[in-house]
Amino acid sequence: MLEVKVPLRRRLIAEFCGSGLLVTVVVGSGIAAEALSADDVGLQLLENSTATVFGLAVLILIFGPVSGGHFNPVVSAADWLLGRRAGTGLSGAEVAAYSTVQVVGAVLGAVLANVMFDLPAMQISATDRASVSHGIGEVVATAGLVLLIIALARSGRAGLSAAAVGAYIGAAYWFTSSTSFANPAVTIGRIFSDTFAGIAPSSAPLFIAAQLIGAAAGLGLVLLLYPDAPQAADRVVVPHPATTTTSTSKET
């Protein structure tokens, strides 16, 4: 019996579906919250964040064993940067493929949410979120997310990632000024929802730049705290390195 990586095609399908459904959860719950609690923004945020916590945890449980459950280009890039010298984690080409399907899935996830709530399928958000404070919030949110995910993988606790990542994102909705997008694919997807959960196209570049800075900061902290973390890249977000087969061929 020979162990090989899960075929890339299957991993990309998992990342596409997971990223798309994550944005559907975020946008759909935002639309519902805005309709149900029109005069209470705090309650809207509570409803939106609660749905996101549980939705993200479930999606990691469903798709994580296939692709790792990244659903996030900065997580995939961190996985590659962490493991490239140790020969673990994603390759550069796989990161590009993961990121592409994550973004496409996120956009279609927003469209799906719009259609489910009888809104125009294609919208462009007018919600301006561009400010220094929002940018700092995204740096903090993304750095914490990367640190959490890799710390769990390195310490053999990646099985807790569904609950832990969901809990972190739920908390970061409230303790960051940006409500913790922490994900370039989700940021792009949310452009296509002119609702409570949307973000204007003019605000997205600031968010994405802050997310990249935050990911670099989180990865730097990981390497300072856990110098042996590169060996754990195959377990980000959850273990997904191999499947057993009797053939020596490898599907890509």
Side-chain angles (χ1 to χ4, degrees):
M1 304 293 281
L2 176 68
E3 286 193 346
V4 298
K5 277 190 173 182
V6 174
L8 181 59
R9 176 178 57 84
R10 286 172 52 197
R11 287 183 278 146
L12 294 180
I13 292 171
E15 286 295 303
F16 171 81
C17 293
S19 301
L21 290 172
L22 174 58
V23 174
T24 300
V25 169
V26 172
V27 172
S29 62
I31 296 170
E34 195 171 28
L36 294 170
S37 309
D39 299 322
D40 191 335
V41 176
L43 185 55
Q44 290 174 15
L45 187 61
L46 178 62
E47 293 161 346
N48 187 210
S49 62
T50 301
T52 301
V53 167
F54 290 112
L56 177 56
V58 168
L59 292 173
I60 291 172
L61 289 173
I62 294 171
F63 299 110
V66 179
S67 66
H70 293 186
F71 316 146
N72 188 336
V74 297
V75 172
S76 299
D79 183 58
W80 167 66
L81 288 168
L82 187 68
R84 62 195 182 104
R85 290 186 179 178
T88 57
L90 298 178
S91 68
E94 288 173 327
V95 171
Y98 266 49
S99 298
T100 299
V101 299
Q102 288 159 356
V103 170
V104 173
V107 172
L108 294 179
V111 171
L112 175 59
N114 292 336
V115 171
M116 283 198 301
F117 285 90
D118 200 26
L119 298 173
M122 292 301 298
Q123 303 180 352
I124 299 297
S125 177
T127 304
D128 181 18
R129 301 178 185 265
S131 70
V132 173
S133 61
H134 284 97
I136 293 172
E138 281 300 285
V139 171
V140 171
T142 310
L145 178 64
V146 169
L147 178 59
L148 170 64
I149 288 169
I150 298 175
L152 289 173
R154 178 263 173 196
S155 60
R157 297 174 294 160
L160 299 175
S161 290
V165 172
Y168 175 78
I169 292 298
Y173 254 87
W174 292 90
F175 77 74
T176 65
S177 57
S178 63
T179 66
S180 183
F181 286 43
N183 185 330
V186 167
T187 302
I188 293 170
R190 288 169 72 163
I191 289 173
F192 296 89
S193 174
D194 191 19
T195 65
F196 175 79
I199 179 172
S202 58
S203 300
L206 171 67
F207 269 58
I208 293 171
Q211 289 155 4
L212 295 175
I213 294 169
L219 194 57
L221 282 171
V222 166
L223 294 175
L224 284 173
L225 295 171
Y226 305 109
D228 59 343
Q231 302 301 325
D234 280 330
R235 299 192 294 274
V236 174
V237 169
V238 296
H240 61 288
T243 185
T244 303
T245 179
T246 56
S247 171
T248 57
S249 65
K250 183 177 179 181
E251 179 186 356
T252 58

